């Protein structure tokens, strides 16, 4: 009997658990996201899937841990006091405190630019406010009252059992033309739907049950993009999803603008009409990554015209031996320069006639000021298409002094040196020549006041002259924005080590595919240190504005306190059957507290 009772209890408990799991799964399935409530014609889209989860994941991230560090408590509390000081003014205008207002989003937030069927494009937003309905109603009433005091007329309209509030400018007969102010909103379930005009709100309400045949989720381009940008093994959808149809947006705006209409007519000839979308996702705490973003450049195949210029075949992007171990950033791209040139040539010849570009370049090479240098034969044909940009910080105690080097690989170093000598000898070319360790250095002096534009990483640059160095070194045309960095490459200090061998680079490179179109490596701590020290030294007004003038940022801890939360980050781009896929990421750092 005892065994029979236990068996019956097991059946009951098991059945209950199965039923509960089924109910939970059903509730999850019944959750309808914004992609099923928006029409097919969406030109811009940004959605945070769950604001509560986003806050939780951010607080658990390295950035969240850094901002909540005890050593930042004093400055953090000062900032909160400043914000609270503004809250009273905020509450007077909106009827709710700033804290109450910021607590409104409880689930999904979506903002989009859409085109309701047969109507002009319009922005629309959907905000899941959860149990904050009272705060939402208070804010809406306060805003409506303020609008009515300014001559905005309030009206209501019923649509499928839903009340839509419309706010439009009330213009009496004989008055000037009304403005374009047209706002409508509706409360549906736990969502606030707000947009420009009643039409766009109705368009969303018509799809509220998620069963409509024509939604953003039925857009093939959008579906492909979301699938491609969803990480392998993700246990839940990405926290943030975004999408942009730039050419479609231009085309629909041009419908009401004759001048833009002329531009749109040329898009097919340039090939830009094949750019169908750009979009992606952002996730936090996914797998090995503290944060990761994925982006897809969706191009209808085959590409033509200008889009063929963006030709980046995959190849090995391991940093060459001359890139020093102490480099704070490294960027490499493999550009199909030959195909890019042919695409430009074809486009120019389409508009100007066969051979037009060749004739122009021939004429330029014969001109007296051009030094008998042919742009195609002497320059473009010498380049392999591999381009590298390297930065470093020679003195860690002087973060404002950063250096950068731009390098383009050449097919033949000796031929490249001959072409560079021709260019340097052109009449009026402001260059000085000197020999350094067996290499010819060409130097250009940048006047004071312009230096920061040529070396943006050097905060405070521009107060002194800067010497730019140019040379053909190690089969690269190198341009050192600070000539001392070029000298260091020429010197070839073997003891300095190579970036590719450093632990920091390898911690990022292990996530790179064997062949890529581009790669980026950045030492985040070095990237942030300049700005951090700048603010800590009393330049908060420049960084944040007058509102934070009373905060003593000198109380910020030493940079080493937050540096542990700033591990290196990286990115890579690879070809996709529909364009190019880009992934940017920051790995988790287990040793961070």
């Amino acid at each position: 009997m005892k065994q029979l009772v236990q068996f019956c209890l097991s059946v009951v408990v098991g059945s209950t658990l199965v039923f509960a799991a089924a109910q939970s799964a059903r509730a999850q399935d019944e959750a309808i996201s914004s992609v099923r409530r928006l029409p097919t014609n969406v030109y811009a889209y940004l959605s945070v899937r769950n604001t509560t989860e986003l806050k939780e994941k951010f607080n658990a991230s390295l950035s969240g841990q850094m901002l909540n560090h005890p050593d930042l408590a004093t400055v953090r509390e000062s900032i909160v006091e400043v914000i609270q000081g503004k809250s009273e003014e905020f509450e007077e205008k909106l009827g709710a405190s700033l804290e109450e207002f910021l607590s409104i989003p409880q689930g999904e937030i979506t903002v989009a630019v859409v085109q309701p069927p047969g109507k002009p494009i319009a922005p629309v937003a959907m905000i899941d406010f959860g149990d904050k309905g009272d705060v939402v109603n208070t804010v809406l009433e306060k805003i409506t009252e303020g609008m009515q005091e300014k001559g905005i007329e309030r009206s209501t309209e019923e649509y499928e059992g839903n009340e839509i509030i419309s706010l439009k400018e009330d213009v009496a007969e004989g008055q000037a033309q009304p403005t374009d102010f047209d706002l409508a909103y509706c409360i549906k379930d736990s969502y606030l739907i707000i947009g420009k005009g009643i039409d766009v709100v109705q368009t969303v309400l018509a799809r509220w049950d998620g069963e409509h045949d024509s939604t953003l989720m039925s857009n093939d381009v959008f579906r492909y993009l979301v699938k491609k940008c969803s990480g392998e093994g993700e246990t839940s959808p990405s926290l943030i999803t975004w999408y942009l149809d730039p050419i479609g947006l231009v085309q629909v705006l041009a419908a009401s603008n004759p001048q833009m209409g002329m531009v749109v007519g040329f898009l097919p000839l340039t090939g830009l009409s094949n750019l169908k979308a750009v979009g992606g996702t952002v996730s936090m705490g996914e797998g090995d990554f503290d944060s990761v973003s994925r982006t897809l450049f969706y191009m209808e195949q085959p590409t033509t015209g200008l889009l063929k210029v963006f030709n980046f075949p995959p190849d090995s992007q391991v940093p060459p031996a001359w890139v020093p171990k102490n480099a704070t950033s490294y960027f490499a791209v493999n550009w199909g320069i030959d195909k890019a040139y042919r695409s430009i040539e074809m486009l120019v010849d389409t508009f100007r006639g066969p051979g037009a570009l060749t004739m122009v370049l021939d004429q330029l090479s014969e001109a007296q000021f051009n030094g008998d240098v042919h742009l195609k034969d002497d320059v473009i044909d010498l380049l392999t298409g591999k381009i590298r940009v390297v930065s470093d910080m020679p003195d860690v105690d002087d973060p404002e002094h950063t250096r950068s080097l731009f390098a383009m690989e050449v097919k033949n170093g000796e031929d490249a040196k001959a072409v560079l000598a021709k260019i340097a000898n052109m009449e009026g070319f402001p260059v000085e020549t000197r020999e350094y360790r067996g290499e010819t250095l060409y130097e250009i002096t940048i006047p004071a006041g312009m230096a920061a534009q040529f070396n943006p990483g050097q905060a405070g640059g521009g107060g002194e002259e800067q010497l730019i160095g140019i040379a053909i070194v190690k089969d690269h045309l190198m341009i050192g924005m600070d000539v001392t960095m070029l000298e260091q490459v020429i010197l070839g200090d073997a003891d300095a080590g190579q970036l590719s061998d450093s632990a920091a680079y390898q911690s990022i490179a292990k996530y790179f595919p064997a062949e890529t179109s581009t790669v980026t490596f950045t030492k985040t701590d070095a990237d942030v240190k300049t700005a951090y020290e700048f603010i800590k030294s009393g330049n908060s007004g420049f960084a944040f504005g007058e509102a934070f003038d009373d905060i003593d940022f000198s109380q910020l801890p030493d940079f080493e306190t937050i540096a542990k939360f700033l591990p290196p980050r990286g990115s890579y781009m690879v070809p996709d059957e529909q364009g190019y896929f880009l992934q940017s990421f920051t790995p988790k750092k287990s040793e961070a507290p």
Side-chain angles (χ1 to χ4, degrees):
M1 177 64 69
K2 183 178 180 182
Q3 290 178 339
L4 179 61
V5 171
Q6 289 177 336
F7 174 78
C8 291
L9 285 174
S10 299
V11 171
V12 171
V13 172
S15 300
T16 302
L17 291 174
V18 169
F19 177 77
Q23 288 293 95
S24 176
R26 186 180 303 166
Q28 188 172 3
D29 289 342
E30 289 175 355
I32 302 168
S33 67
S34 58
V35 295
R36 298 189 182 277
R37 288 171 169 168
L38 292 171
T40 305
N41 293 334
V42 173
Y43 297 98
Y45 171 84
L46 173 65
S47 181
V48 177
R49 179 175 55 81
N50 188 303
T51 52
T52 301
E53 184 181 348
L54 177 62
K55 292 174 187 175
E56 292 172 353
K57 289 205 168 185
F58 177 79
N59 286 332
S61 72
L62 291 171
S63 297
Q65 294 176 52
M66 179 181 68
L67 293 177
N68 290 312
H69 194 281
D71 289 358
L72 272 73
T74 302
V75 172
R76 191 168 57 243
E77 290 167 4
S78 298
I79 293 175
V80 170
E81 287 178 9
V82 170
I83 294 174
Q84 288 177 338
K86 300 290 182 181
S87 183
E88 189 174 318
E89 179 183 345
F90 188 90
E91 187 170 359
E92 185 179 340
K93 291 181 178 179
L94 291 182
S97 68
L98 181 59
E99 184 177 358
E100 289 175 322
F101 183 80
L102 294 177
S103 73
I104 288 175
Q106 296 291 303
E108 184 180 25
I109 296 182
T110 298
V111 180
V113 176
V114 309
Q115 185 174 29
K119 302 292 182 179
I121 63 170
V124 65
M126 289 177 276
I127 303 170
D128 182 359
F129 53 77
D131 59 358
K132 300 295 181 180
D134 291 342
V135 180
V136 171
N137 286 324
T138 299
V139 172
L140 290 175
E141 288 173 8
K142 192 73 173 179
I143 291 175
T144 301
E145 289 174 7
M147 292 291 102
Q148 288 178 305
E149 290 174 2
K150 296 179 180 180
I152 302 299
E153 182 180 359
R154 180 187 185 277
S155 61
T156 62
E157 181 172 320
E158 291 291 322
Y159 180 79
E160 296 184 355
N162 302 289
E163 184 182 63
I164 303 176
I165 309 300
S166 175
L167 297 171
K168 283 187 178 182
E169 186 173 6
D170 183 16
V171 181
E173 187 177 349
Q175 286 186 346
Q177 282 291 105
T179 63
D180 196 28
F181 187 87
D182 186 3
L183 186 69
Y185 65 85
C186 174
I187 300 292
K188 179 69 174 178
D189 300 333
S190 64
Y191 278 81
L192 168 64
I193 311 165
I194 184 167
K196 181 176 171 56
I198 287 178
D199 293 330
V200 72
V201 175
Q202 290 178 341
T203 297
V204 172
L205 289 172
R207 294 162 172 78
W208 198 253
D209 62 3
E211 299 297 326
H212 201 284
D213 293 333
S214 176
T215 67
L216 177 56
M217 202 56 194
S218 63
N219 182 319
D220 291 338
V221 174
F222 178 80
R223 272 208 323 273
Y224 182 91
L225 185 147
V226 171
K227 181 180 179 181
K228 190 68 184 181
C229 293
S230 296
E232 294 182 8
E234 277 194 79
T235 55
S236 61
S238 303
L239 284 173
I240 299 172
T241 302
W242 65 281
Y243 170 85
L244 178 66
D245 177 3
I247 303 303
L249 187 59
V250 170
Q251 289 173 329
V252 75
L253 291 173
S256 58
N257 188 320
Q259 292 181 336
M260 285 186 66
M262 294 177 63
V263 175
V264 170
F266 282 103
L267 288 177
L269 293 174
T270 62
L272 291 176
S273 56
N274 282 42
L275 177 60
K276 295 302 180 183
V278 181
T281 61
V282 178
S283 296
M284 302 181 76
E286 174 196 318
D288 291 343
F289 302 123
D290 183 65
S291 63
V292 55
S293 67
R294 301 178 177 93
T295 303
L296 182 71
F297 301 87
Y298 189 106
M299 305 174 192
E300 191 172 80
Q301 304 298 318
T303 56
T304 59
L306 285 176
L307 287 186
K308 277 188 169 291
V309 174
F310 301 98
N311 180 271
F312 307 108
D315 201 352
S316 173
Q317 301 282 10
V318 176
W322 54 263
V323 180
K325 184 177 182 178
N326 66 346
T328 55
S329 70
Y330 171 75
F331 168 75
V333 56
N334 188 40
W335 184 26
I337 193 168
D338 294 334
K339 289 184 177 179
Y341 175 82
R342 288 197 295 272
S343 300
I344 294 174
E345 182 180 42
M346 186 178 297
L347 189 62
V348 172
D349 290 357
T350 298
F351 288 99
R352 300 289 300 273
L357 182 59
T358 299
M359 182 176 65
V360 170
L361 296 183
D362 288 344
Q363 291 173 348
L364 286 174
S365 68
E366 295 169 0
Q368 183 177 0
F369 71 90
N370 208 36
D372 195 28
V373 175
H374 195 283
L375 180 60
K376 172 65 168 61
D377 299 341
D378 296 331
V379 180
I380 294 176
D381 285 350
L382 264 177
L383 301 175
T384 66
K386 288 184 177 292
I387 301 172
R388 289 144 178 143
V389 182
V390 184
S391 297
D392 75 352
M393 185 185 297
D395 184 354
V396 293
D397 295 324
D398 184 15
E400 292 188 1
H401 181 207
T402 60
R403 307 180 300 181
S404 57
L405 181 76
F406 181 81
M408 293 183 287
E409 189 178 69
V410 297
K411 297 172 183 175
N412 186 299
E414 294 304 315
D415 290 347
K417 288 179 180 181
V419 172
L420 184 55
K422 279 186 180 181
I423 296 173
N425 289 327
M426 285 167 49
E427 186 176 349
F429 196 72
V431 63
E432 297 290 333
T433 305
R434 68 180 172 93
E435 295 298 313
Y436 182 80
R437 298 297 178 104
E439 300 289 352
T440 302
L441 260 177
Y442 301 91
E443 297 176 329
I444 300 175
T445 302
I446 304 301
M450 292 178 62
Q453 298 178 32
F454 285 85
N455 194 5
Q458 190 167 339
E464 301 178 355
E465 290 184 344
Q466 186 163 328
L467 205 57
I468 291 179
I470 305 172
I472 304 296
V473 184
K474 303 184 186 301
D475 288 330
H476 281 75
L477 167 60
M478 295 190 181
I479 304 174
M481 297 307 171
D482 184 326
V483 72
T484 60
M485 191 172 187
L486 180 54
E487 290 175 344
Q488 181 177 314
V489 173
I490 295 173
L491 193 59
D493 185 1
D495 294 334
Q498 302 174 18
L499 177 64
S500 58
D501 294 333
S502 71
Y505 179 80
Q506 290 178 359
S507 71
I508 298 299
K510 68 181 181 181
Y511 298 107
F512 293 157
E515 292 188 338
T516 59
S517 298
T518 70
V519 297
T520 302
F521 162 80
T522 304
K523 289 182 179 177
T524 312
D525 53 353
D527 209 28
V528 171
K529 187 173 184 178
T530 301
Y532 187 86
E533 298 293 356
F534 186 69
I535 293 169
K536 187 179 178 181
S537 64
N539 293 286
S540 59
F542 177 82
F544 302 114
E546 296 179 359
F548 293 94
D549 278 350
D550 294 334
I551 297 176
D552 184 7
F553 282 98
S554 67
Q555 297 186 63
L556 286 169
D558 291 340
F559 182 74
E560 287 68 26
T561 300
I562 71 164
K564 66 185 74 172
F565 298 100
L566 301 170
R569 63 182 188 271
S571 71
Y572 65 84
M573 186 173 75
V574 292
D576 178 78
E577 60 185 25
Q578 291 298 153
Y580 288 96
F581 171 79
L582 173 68
Q583 177 164 302
S584 302
F585 56 90
T586 300
K588 292 176 180 176
K589 188 176 182 183
S590 58
E591 62 266 30

